[in-house]
Amino acid sequence: MLRGRYLVLIEDDSLMGASLVQRLELEGAEVTWLRQAVRGIAAVRTPRRPVDAVICDIRLPDGDGEQIFATLAQRAPPPPFLFITGQGDIDQAVRLLKSGAGDYLTKPFDMADFLAPARPGAAARSRSGDAGRLRRLAAGARHRRKGRPPGRRRPSGADPRRAGAGQGAARARDPRLVRSPRRPLRHA
């Protein structure tokens, strides 16, 4: 439950913003929703009451969430930031998490994942999990650059440097060996 928490939501999309405000208020939070970067900065710098967390879209009409975070961090440590975006960029996520952001989610996201950082005790859990999260993000970025999803390796024997080696090459060279789509290898 988020009862008694004051959150600032900076999101330009009407449907997404209204949905998030509704859900956060159902959880008991007081939410101020802003649609522009300039107003978001002002709301966090001069709040009506202390801000418990900021939920910020990355792409906004007059700036981006990373600029908001950097601007607020110049004067004092900003409140915990949860970044949400429809155009996820692994390098940007790693950069933001290293600079002190609380979390980074790509849309669409699971509501449980969205609410977890805002719940009480999340700051301690977040700090202890940052190193692992950064390692996973960095590993995902390396695999995407190579053209393979994380956790996926080439099947054994599929090394492109050794094309033509192994059993597959013997079958391809011997016209008597035919593979039927429904049956295993048989002699012709």
Side-chain angles (χ1 to χ4, degrees):
M1 295 298 290
L2 299 173
R3 195 168 315 285
R5 309 277 240 138
Y6 178 59
L7 308 175
V8 173
L9 172 64
I10 308 170
E11 168 66 64
D12 62 324
D13 183 278
S14 303
L15 185 60
M16 177 63 78
S19 299
L20 292 176
V21 168
Q22 181 181 26
R23 180 57 191 258
L24 292 168
E25 287 177 346
L26 283 172
E27 293 283 327
E30 180 185 340
V31 182
T32 298
W33 176 22
L34 305 148
R35 295 184 170 116
Q36 296 173 338
V38 174
R39 291 185 181 187
I41 291 170
V44 176
R45 275 191 180 157
T46 56
R48 295 181 294 176
R49 59 184 264 209
V51 177
D52 292 308
V54 177
I55 300 155
C56 187
D57 191 7
I58 295 288
R59 299 213 182 357
L60 297 163
D62 61 334
D64 68 27
E66 193 168 0
Q67 290 172 339
I68 294 171
F69 185 72
T71 301
L72 292 169
Q74 287 175 352
R75 289 191 181 176
F81 261 71
L82 168 62
F83 288 100
I84 55 176
T85 184
Q87 296 85 25
D89 178 13
I90 297 298
D91 294 331
Q92 183 180 48
V94 170
R95 189 172 54 248
L96 286 168
L97 290 172
K98 281 184 175 179
S99 66
D103 211 342
Y104 186 99
L105 294 174
T106 55
K107 301 173 193 174
F109 46 79
D110 183 48
M111 194 52 74
D113 292 338
F114 170 74
L115 291 172
R119 291 212 163 107
R125 286 191 307 271
S126 173
R127 276 192 234 81
S128 66
D130 278 349
R133 181 177 25 252
L134 287 173
R135 278 194 298 276
R136 286 189 303 276
L137 284 170
R142 280 194 305 274
H143 286 292
R144 276 189 264 294
R145 282 188 214 117
K146 291 180 181 176
R148 291 187 309 273
R152 299 286 308 256
R153 294 185 179 163
R154 278 189 204 102
S156 61
D159 189 350
R161 294 171 291 177
R162 297 184 52 194
Q167 291 180 342
R171 287 184 195 132
R173 287 190 300 262
D174 189 351
R176 295 174 299 153
L177 299 175
V178 180
R179 183 179 296 272
S180 169
R182 293 189 184 160
R183 288 188 233 148
L185 186 65
R186 60 183 171 77
H187 289 290

